[in-house]
Amino acid sequence: MPTSKQVPLKLINRSDNPLPAYATPLSAGLDLRAYLPEGSVTLKPLERKMIPTGLFMELPEGYEAQVRPRSGLAIKHGITVINSPGTIDADYRGEVCVLLVNLSDTPFEIRSGERIAQMVIASFAQADIVSVTSLTETERGTGGFGHTGKN
């Protein structure tokens, strides 16, 4: 069975939370925790806030970190990452923060140490842009959303 590729991820943890970890051996995402030394934060319905993690990192060249919602927070409380997935570039050295939004009709309290998102480390390719005057014809053509005929 193929195993996932491991890459070095340098982390500085200025919080009192444990380092991010994978919940299971086959998990794709590392759990990110809120770091709120001043106390908990309440997200009102439809409110969005930037939640710090106390983490700073150095990704290898050719990799990004994708910040994604936690499914449990989304289904149970309507809490999600507003710019999902949020991209952290390899040359960013600031604090990792999570942009959360409350899509429910009830306030939600975020406590320091609570798991608020997950972070997936992914390789990427940069495009070599080639300006052209036409594109290769395909069966689908310009058919957009819902035009493949599949349910």
Side-chain angles (χ1 to χ4, degrees):
M1 174 186 346
T3 59
S4 60
K5 180 179 178 181
Q6 291 191 338
V7 296
L9 176 62
K10 297 177 182 176
L11 281 175
I12 295 173
N13 186 359
R14 295 200 176 132
S15 79
D16 51 6
N17 296 322
L19 285 173
Y22 295 101
T24 70
L26 298 180
S27 293
L30 295 153
D31 286 330
L32 293 177
R33 296 177 183 272
Y35 177 53
L36 302 166
E38 306 298 316
S40 65
V41 168
T42 298
L43 272 178
K44 295 180 221 149
L46 300 179
E47 185 177 29
R48 58 192 180 271
K49 287 188 179 177
M50 187 165 61
I51 308 298
T53 66
L55 299 173
F56 300 77
M57 67 181 174
E58 182 177 330
L59 289 159
E61 186 177 321
Y63 286 84
E64 64 164 329
Q66 299 173 359
V67 179
R68 301 178 182 187
R70 291 193 64 241
S71 58
L73 283 180
I75 191 65
K76 293 175 187 172
H77 305 287
I79 305 300
T80 191
V81 176
I82 197 163
N83 64 326
S84 180
T87 296
I88 302 172
D89 296 309
D91 56 353
Y92 176 68
R93 295 296 184 268
E95 183 174 12
V96 174
C97 292
V98 179
L99 304 177
L100 291 182
V101 63
N102 182 351
L103 298 178
S104 78
D105 58 0
T106 53
F108 181 78
E109 183 180 9
I110 302 166
R111 295 179 177 92
S112 195
E114 184 171 1
R115 294 178 301 151
I116 57 169
Q118 56 183 327
M119 181 172 69
V120 174
I121 308 302
S123 63
F124 66 89
Q126 286 187 332
D128 180 15
I129 307 297
V130 179
S131 179
V132 297
T133 58
S134 65
L135 302 174
T136 305
E137 294 288 328
T138 66
E139 184 178 332
R140 180 176 184 169
T142 59
F145 299 96
H147 280 81
T148 61
K150 301 186 195 254
N151 293 337

